[in-house]
Amino acid sequence: MCRKKLIEELFGKQGSSFGVYPLRIVWIKSAVPTTAPPQVLISVSKRTFKRAVDRNRLKRLIREAYRLNKYRLVEQPAGHQVALLGIIFTGKEKSPLALVEKKLISAIQRLIGTPAAASAPPPAP
């Protein structure tokens, strides 16, 4: 997501948010259910991670975790209500992919409103 207007909407009064440490999820509800993937913004604080190498590594981890698990959001039978999605890394230390993926899965489950008790394996291509 690159448009300044969309980013302002996401972080303005229209956006809802919740935290799943070390991630903070900010999202805007769409008018009608859709099966298209939402526009995604990924952010890592420059204040917490001074080196660009560390910030870029964390953004790559979050991007990969989202890529592997976006099917949980997109393949809902009735569609999903997420138009814009912001994923912000709020942790103070670097996290491995397994932790980031686990927290992102629980955030997606919370977005679609189903319990995160049993996570299903991805569908076969």
Side-chain angles (χ1 to χ4, degrees), residues 8 11-12 16 25 40 48-49 51 54-55 64 68 79 89 95 97-98 100 110 117:
E8 287 173 357
F11 292 105
S16 302
I25 306 298
V40 178
T48 307
F49 297 96
R51 301 178 66 206
D54 296 332
R55 289 192 307 275
E64 179 67 6
L68 291 173
F89 190 86
S95 299
L97 177 62
V100 172
R110 187 165 169 186

Side-chain angles (χ1 to χ4, degrees), residues 4-17 24 26-29 84:
K4 188 174 182 177
K5 184 177 179 182
L6 290 178
I7 294 170
E8 287 173 357
E9 282 180 26
L10 184 64
F11 292 105
K13 293 182 180 181
Q14 295 178 349
S16 302
S17 68
R24 178 161 184 76
V26 182
W27 61 288
I28 291 181
K29 189 175 186 176
L84 303 174

Side-chain angles (χ1 to χ4, degrees), residues 3-74:
R3 291 180 52 202
K4 188 174 182 177
K5 184 177 179 182
L6 290 178
I7 294 170
E8 287 173 357
E9 282 180 26
L10 184 64
F11 292 105
K13 293 182 180 181
Q14 295 178 349
S16 302
S17 68
F18 60 89
V20 181
Y21 190 82
L23 302 175
R24 178 161 184 76
I25 306 298
V26 182
W27 61 288
I28 291 181
K29 189 175 186 176
S30 65
V32 294
T34 181
T35 57
Q39 291 187 32
V40 178
L41 172 126
I42 297 172
S43 176
V44 178
S45 172
K46 190 173 185 178
R47 181 180 293 178
T48 307
F49 297 96
K50 303 287 186 199
R51 301 178 66 206
V53 173
D54 296 332
R55 289 192 307 275
N56 291 337
R57 169 91 176 143
L58 285 168
K59 286 190 277 188
R60 275 197 312 270
L61 290 177
I62 295 168
R63 220 175 283 129
E64 179 67 6
Y66 177 74
R67 183 188 71 82
L68 291 173
N69 293 290
K70 71 179 170 185
Y71 74 91
R72 297 170 190 272
L73 184 64
V74 176

Side-chain angles (χ1 to χ4, degrees), residues 69 71-72 101-102 104-106 108-109 114-123:
N69 293 290
Y71 74 91
R72 297 170 190 272
E101 187 172 13
K102 178 182 168 190
L104 191 61
I105 289 170
S106 66
I108 290 173
Q109 295 293 340
T114 60
S119 60

